[in-house]
Amino acid sequence: MNPKIERVCKDIDKTKGKISELQTRLRELEKQKTELENTEIVETVRGMDISLSDLAAMLRAAHVTSGQVGPKSETTNKEATKE
């Protein structure tokens, strides 16, 4: 086989290996981010000093009134200001 083609094939294989490693690293980082967010949420809720039944009622009420729990996304706020 042509040496240039062989070199390109080796580069392709090397690049695919790097991509695979980076995808694995990305999945690990996303998992770590989710765990940290969950920990933050739990700490915030525990710091509220509210009973479990009151918390559930509060979340249901928030969901019913806004259709979502938590702050609205920035894209929603930006879209609202455009109109």
Side-chain angles (χ1 to χ4, degrees):
M1 186 185 300
N2 183 333
K4 289 182 180 181
I5 295 173
E6 287 181 31
R7 186 169 17 111
V8 170
C9 287
K10 287 180 185 178
D11 285 346
I12 289 171
D13 291 339
K14 183 178 176 182
T15 302
K16 285 181 180 180
K18 286 182 182 180
I19 290 171
S20 176
E21 290 174 12
L22 289 172
Q23 287 175 332
T24 300
R25 176 71 176 139
L26 176 61
R27 282 190 294 275
E28 291 171 359
L29 288 170
E30 288 173 338
K31 181 179 177 183
Q32 182 180 3
K33 177 185 168 220
T34 300
E35 290 173 0
L36 289 169
E37 288 172 341
N38 289 344
T39 299
E40 185 176 350
I41 291 167
V42 168
E43 289 173 356
T44 301
V45 170
R46 286 184 178 159
M48 293 174 73
D49 194 32
I50 188 171
S51 73
L52 189 56
S53 59
D54 289 342
L55 175 63
M58 183 178 72
L59 291 174
R60 276 193 299 276
H63 181 71
V64 167
T65 58
S66 69
Q68 72 178 41
V69 176
K72 294 184 184 234
S73 68
E74 288 188 27
T75 56
T76 304
N77 291 337
K78 288 178 185 176
E79 290 170 0
T81 56
K82 287 182 182 178
E83 295 175 0

